[in-house]
Amino acid sequence: MTEKLFALLDVYHGADAHSAAMNMAIDEALLSSASVPTIRFYRWQSPALSFGYFGRFSDVASYQGEHDMVRRWTGGGIVFHGKDLTYSIVIPISDAVFTEPTMFIYERIHRALCDALKKNGQSAVIATGADRAGVTRVNDPGYSCFANPVRADVMIDGRKVAGAAQRRTRRALLQQGSIQSVDLESGLSQRFIQALSTDYSEQKLDEEILNRARELAEQKYSTDFWLRKR
C-alpha cells in the first residue's frame, strides 16, 4: 500500500459559500496559522474567476461584471469557478512534507486525487511530458488553466480535470486546486481526504481565522489595487 502523504490532516468543509475575495483570504489566514497540514473544500457565492499572482489584469478584464474576479496569491493561470470542487491544502514548516520539492508535493497530491477518482470509477492519470520545450509550466501566467495541462495535472481520456498552483512562504506552503468536469458527488472529497491521510479530523474555522480573513478580504483581495496590480 502506498504511504499516505500526511501523517495528520485537519479537514475544513466549507458549508457556507463565500465571495472570491473571502475565499482567497481564508486560505491566506489558514496559511499563517496552521500547525498541522490542512485541507479546505469551499464554495462560491456566484460564478467566479481567479487568476494567478503574476497574471495580467488585461487578460481577464473582459470578464469583469460577468464573474466575481480575484487575483490569487498563488501562481498559475485563469480558472473559472462555480461548478468545480475547489480546495486548498496548507503544509506548515513543522511538517516533514514541507521540505520536499514543490513538484514532488504537487504530484503526490494529484496522485492521491487520482486514487480518489479511480475509486469513484473514473480512469484518472497523471499528465507527463511537461518538461519538454513549448509546454506550459505550473506557474506560468496568462493562460486558461484547464485548456493547458502541465506536468502532474490530472487527466481523464486526454482531458484535464484537475490543476493547482502553489505559494511557499517561510512558514508554510499553500496549494490551491480545482477539480472540474467529473462527478463531484459520490463521496469524492471524502475519498480524496482518505487518499491523503489515514489520520484526519474534521475542524471548523474559528472566529480568529475568520476575523483575519475578513480583514484580508477587505484590505487586499477585494481592492482594485490588488486586482489590477499587473
Side-chain angles (χ1 to χ4, degrees), residues 108-120:
R108 282 293 304 274
I109 290 172
H110 275 174
R111 287 196 180 280
L113 178 56
C114 276
D115 289 345
L117 286 165
K118 288 175 182 176
K119 288 180 180 178
N120 269 21

Side-chain angles (χ1 to χ4, degrees), residues 157-171:
D157 297 329
R159 172 174 49 89
K160 177 175 175 176
V161 299
Q166 296 177 339
R167 174 97 182 200
R168 189 188 289 267
T169 70
R170 285 177 292 181
R171 64 170 297 148

Side-chain angles (χ1 to χ4, degrees), residues 28-161:
E28 185 174 341
L30 282 171
L31 181 69
S32 64
S33 63
S35 58
V36 300
T38 72
I39 185 167
R40 180 174 82 95
F41 297 97
Y42 48 94
R43 300 164 54 214
W44 307 80
Q45 282 181 345
S46 60
L49 179 158
S50 71
F51 61 107
Y53 179 79
F54 299 102
R56 297 182 299 271
F57 176 74
S58 59
D59 291 332
V60 298
S62 62
Y63 296 104
Q64 198 168 27
E66 300 175 7
H67 294 78
D68 184 9
M69 292 173 51
V70 68
R71 181 186 295 275
R72 298 189 302 273
W73 204 33
T74 54
I78 300 164
V79 183
F80 294 92
H81 303 284
K83 297 181 179 180
D84 60 335
L85 177 60
T86 317
Y87 71 89
S88 64
I89 290 175
V90 172
I91 307 170
I93 192 173
S94 57
D95 191 86
V97 177
F98 178 85
T99 63
E100 297 289 352
T102 295
M103 183 50 70
F104 171 87
I105 296 170
Y106 190 92
E107 183 169 339
R108 282 293 304 274
I109 290 172
H110 275 174
R111 287 196 180 280
L113 178 56
C114 276
D115 289 345
L117 286 165
K118 288 175 182 176
K119 288 180 180 178
N120 269 21
Q122 297 165 305
S123 55
V125 298
I126 294 293
T128 60
D131 286 334
R132 298 172 186 169
V135 179
T136 308
R137 305 280 179 160
V138 171
N139 287 316
D140 282 353
Y143 68 95
S144 177
C145 186
F146 277 78
N148 296 275
V150 302
R151 178 185 170 194
D153 279 347
V154 180
M155 311 286 290
I156 295 179
D157 297 329
R159 172 174 49 89
K160 177 175 175 176
V161 299

